[in-house]
Amino acid sequence: MLQLANGAGIPTLRYDVKTCWQPLNSQRMLLWARRFGKAEAYMQALGRKHFEEAKSASHTWNVVDAAEEAGLDRGEAETF
């Protein structure tokens, strides 16, 4: 995995980030982002936050940050 990540320009992968096994909010946000054509951008932002920045995809604030970074309205993402 590390070789693939390096080949894709990702300097490191963090596997030490604590997460729950069913990060429901991040999955729901993905479906919501898809409505606006932002699913790919959202997953890129969330994946980078989780695996590179050690910011768990289980925490709602990280999910909302990733949604905003993907171009979604932060206020709407928070209420979703």
Side-chain angles (χ1 to χ4, degrees), residues 19-78:
T19 186
C20 69
W21 287 106
Q22 295 295 326
L24 187 59
N25 285 341
S26 63
Q27 295 167 5
R28 288 181 66 236
M29 190 65 72
L30 173 62
L31 295 174
W32 186 71
R34 185 178 67 175
R35 294 181 191 175
F36 304 99
K38 301 287 187 176
E40 185 72 26
Y42 165 73
M43 285 306 298
Q44 286 178 347
L46 188 64
R48 188 187 67 260
K49 287 181 177 309
H50 186 84
F51 290 109
E52 295 180 47
E53 300 174 13
K55 295 179 179 176
S56 178
S58 295
H59 298 302
T60 301
W61 57 86
N62 294 327
V63 170
V64 172
D65 286 348
E68 181 179 39
E69 190 174 316
L72 295 163
D73 182 85
R74 183 178 191 87
E76 290 181 19
E78 288 173 340

